[in-house]
Amino acid sequence: MAKVAPTKTIFATNTSTLLPSQFAAITQRPEKFLALHFANHIWANNTAEIMGHPTTDPVVYDTVVDFAHAIGMITIELHKEQSGYVLNSLLIPWVDAALILWVKGIADVETIDKTWMLAGGSPIGPFGILDEVGLRTAYNIMLAASQQPGREDLVAVVEKLKTDMLDQNKLGQESGQGFYHYPNPAFRQPEFLTNSVPSV
């Protein structure tokens, strides 16, 4: 892209976990490169996370902030690089915890989601979120995380995601089945929260 885009062109990535500094050099314009990440359901959750890297030009950063405001986004401006930005730094440990409960057989998918939805007042639980994100994406994120020191607890999660989900073409909303069936997943049904959560 650097060969054909004008030199004034700013490049932005919407990666949800990688750091801009990991591949800024190959853009051939690192000073004009940064991350601009939109949340799922952008029409309702209109947040834009903006994250530069150590050599991002501050003027470029401010230009992207202004662009995000101009298209009606609420900006979340990061002062340093952080894998997962703010949103996924909060979301991923929550999803990890749900997956570990599932892998260990502590509770089933519906019980885990139901518990979160009832106690937290959320319209969706962690497994509904995973289906929305896509299980291939979740698998790749978990696979990378499981290779980090101290994250051995995710090895079994990665294995179960592959054998029970990906290998069965249960990819989430994109394939019509993940932890739930689509387009009418159980957690969207009125009776989902009215049935009592079994004790575990």
Side-chain angles (χ1 to χ4, degrees), residues 136 162 164-172 175-178:
R136 283 186 291 202
K162 184 175 187 310
D164 289 18
M165 307 306 290
L166 272 61
D167 289 351
Q168 309 300 318
N169 199 40
K170 297 177 181 178
L171 306 177
S175 67
Q177 184 179 1

Side-chain angles (χ1 to χ4, degrees), residues 27-193:
T27 68
Q28 299 178 37
R29 57 185 77 193
E31 74 286 353
K32 291 187 176 73
F33 178 65
L34 73 174
L36 175 61
H37 181 249
F38 297 139
N40 284 330
H41 297 289
I42 189 172
W43 54 90
N45 307 319
N46 60 326
T47 58
E49 296 183 281
I50 300 115
M51 178 172 66
H53 61 92
T55 60
T56 299
D57 184 335
V59 173
V60 168
Y61 186 95
D62 290 343
T63 299
V64 172
V65 170
D66 291 343
F67 165 75
H69 285 148
I71 62 172
M73 305 304 292
I74 298 168
T75 58
I76 300 171
E77 300 168 38
L78 279 73
H79 305 298
K80 295 180 180 179
E81 283 192 301
Q82 166 66 33
S83 177
Y85 308 76
V86 174
L87 175 60
N88 283 325
S89 292
L90 297 168
L91 179 67
I92 289 173
W94 172 66
V95 169
D96 286 354
L99 285 166
I100 290 168
L101 288 170
W102 171 61
V103 168
K104 288 184 174 181
I106 305 299
D108 59 37
V109 166
E110 292 80 4
T111 297
I112 295 167
D113 274 4
K114 195 179 303 186
T115 301
W116 183 264
M117 292 166 70
L118 285 168
S122 174
I124 191 169
F127 291 97
I129 288 283
L130 281 163
D131 278 352
E132 186 172 280
V133 168
L135 297 184
R136 283 186 291 202
T137 298
Y139 171 80
N140 288 327
I141 291 171
M142 298 294 170
L143 179 61
S146 71
Q147 296 167 357
Q148 301 300 314
R151 295 314 316 268
E152 293 79 11
D153 57 336
L154 293 180
V155 172
V157 168
V158 169
E159 292 173 354
K160 191 168 177 66
L161 277 175
K162 184 175 187 310
T163 58
D164 289 18
M165 307 306 290
L166 272 61
D167 289 351
Q168 309 300 318
N169 199 40
K170 297 177 181 178
L171 306 177
Q173 290 184 14
E174 67 172 290
S175 67
Q177 184 179 1
F179 291 104
Y180 296 94
H181 291 272
Y182 295 89
N184 299 304
F187 67 84
R188 294 284 187 219
Q189 307 310 312
E191 66 274 12
F192 185 73
L193 295 181

